[in-house]
Amino acid sequence: MGELEAKVPDAGRRLSFASLGSGSKGNATLVSDGETRVLVDCGFPMRDAERRLNRLGLHPRQLDAILVTHEHGDHIRGVGALARRYRLPVYLTAGCWLSRRLGDVPDRRWILPQTRFAIRGLEIDPITVPHDAREPVQFRFRAHGRHLGVLTDLGHPTQHVVDAFRGCNALVLECNHDRQMLADGPYPFRLKRRVGGDWGHLANSQAAALLPQLGLDRLERIVCSHLSEQNNHPERVREILAPLLDGDETRLMLAAQDKGLSWQSIA
């Protein structure tokens, strides 16, 4: 796979994360506590996923598991192939598996929403979210006294979601669309209604309303993710979120579709 391009954070010191890429063409997030490394979703074909992992300093054999949020193609496209080739366990809900969209997954590990589990020292809370999938979850990670939330693909922020993700030190948050761009854009009406509905995707304005409820003072990193290429733009996201940060825009980052996001360590 060639020379590794980015050094993985030192073992045993930090809760860290990175993005292979995020958007309608594929999503995948890496999470590490310095010893355990998991991949949340893999919406890229296996060869592309290998290349993107290499860019972040990892070979797939160094992964401990793949966690699946839900069965949509931009989140599972490479899960089965990667798991089979590298003999990786896949953690997912029964509903996600019953969608029959993942292909053969030899090592399946069932997870229950709202029931914490651990992969070695990395503690993981799967949280139910409103999205048009069989049994969708998002994840909150705990290690070294720090908390990371991965919160994408939800139609609206319920009180349950607010309670589950409050107090994180870093958050990967969906900013899928700008409402006006979606309304004026080329999508057919049915798709606009689905994306903008309560079981679709989070709008910039919804993300902005959610963040203060989660505790902005504790958030060292806010990573805007799953931006629509048709219905959003990074500048639109920045315009609506930056005023919440009291001028400290260094906390605001973007997980891009092509380049993802380099390793970020939570201090």
Side-chain angles (χ1 to χ4, degrees):
M1 291 175 59
E3 184 179 355
L4 299 182
E5 298 181 21
K7 185 178 179 182
V8 182
D10 293 342
R13 295 182 180 177
R14 300 283 180 92
L15 179 59
S16 303
F17 64 99
S19 171
L20 277 65
S22 185
S24 58
K25 295 178 181 177
N27 297 272
T29 304
L30 278 166
V31 180
S32 173
D33 66 357
E35 296 179 350
T36 303
R37 301 181 183 105
V38 301
L39 185 64
V40 181
D41 293 334
C42 184
F44 303 100
M46 186 178 68
R47 295 296 185 190
D48 191 15
E50 290 174 335
R51 178 181 61 82
R52 290 170 182 260
L53 283 165
N54 179 71
R55 187 170 66 198
L56 291 166
L58 281 180
H59 190 281
R61 291 191 185 93
Q62 294 174 278
L63 295 173
D64 292 282
I66 302 174
L67 279 56
V68 178
T69 61
H70 65 293
E71 69 273 13
H72 291 166
D74 58 327
H75 291 262
I76 64 163
R77 190 170 291 113
V79 169
L82 206 62
R84 290 189 295 272
R85 178 163 186 175
Y86 296 104
R87 301 181 180 180
L88 298 172
V90 176
Y91 290 74
L92 73 169
T93 64
C96 179
W97 173 248
L98 290 173
S99 70
R100 304 186 185 279
R101 295 182 181 178
L102 281 91
D104 183 31
V105 178
D107 189 354
R108 300 188 298 274
R109 311 280 179 95
W110 305 123
I111 59 177
L112 294 173
Q114 286 67 249
T115 302
R116 184 177 302 171
F117 65 100
I119 303 176
R120 294 196 287 187
L122 186 63
E123 295 184 340
I124 306 162
D125 290 304
I127 311 300
T128 296
V129 294
H131 192 51
D132 55 355
R134 290 290 295 264
E135 195 177 9
V137 293
Q138 297 291 313
F139 296 105
R140 179 168 178 157
F141 297 88
R142 306 164 190 253
H144 309 302
R146 313 303 278 169
H147 297 242
L148 165 68
V150 176
L151 182 55
T152 67
D153 290 75
L154 70 161
H156 67 286
T158 63
Q159 188 60 50
H160 168 71
V161 167
V162 172
D163 293 340
F165 286 91
R166 185 180 284 122
C168 286
N169 304 107
L171 183 67
V172 180
L173 178 64
E174 177 171 52
C175 299
N176 177 257
H177 61 277
D178 174 88
R179 289 193 186 278
Q180 194 61 51
M181 288 182 68
L182 176 65
D184 296 340
Y187 281 8
F189 175 74
R190 183 176 180 181
L191 183 55
K192 289 181 180 181
R193 186 170 60 181
R194 181 245 163 189
V195 169
D198 282 348
W199 298 88
H201 292 275
L202 209 63
N204 296 341
S205 57
Q206 291 174 300
L210 172 62
L211 280 170
Q213 300 179 68
L214 300 183
L216 278 168
D217 290 346
R218 293 193 62 179
L219 280 169
E220 301 172 18
R221 301 281 190 277
I222 302 167
V223 179
C224 307
S225 67
H226 216 306
L227 270 70
S228 168
E229 291 181 319
Q230 293 281 348
N231 304 305
N232 211 351
H233 190 277
E235 285 307 312
R236 291 281 183 114
V237 179
R238 186 171 297 277
E239 285 172 6
I240 196 166
L241 296 189
L244 301 174
L245 303 178
D246 296 324
D248 183 13
E249 294 187 30
T250 61
R251 292 192 285 162
L252 193 61
M253 301 177 176
L254 172 69
Q257 180 71 89
D258 53 350
K259 296 182 179 180
L261 179 72
S262 61
W263 282 103
Q264 305 295 315
S265 293
I266 307 174

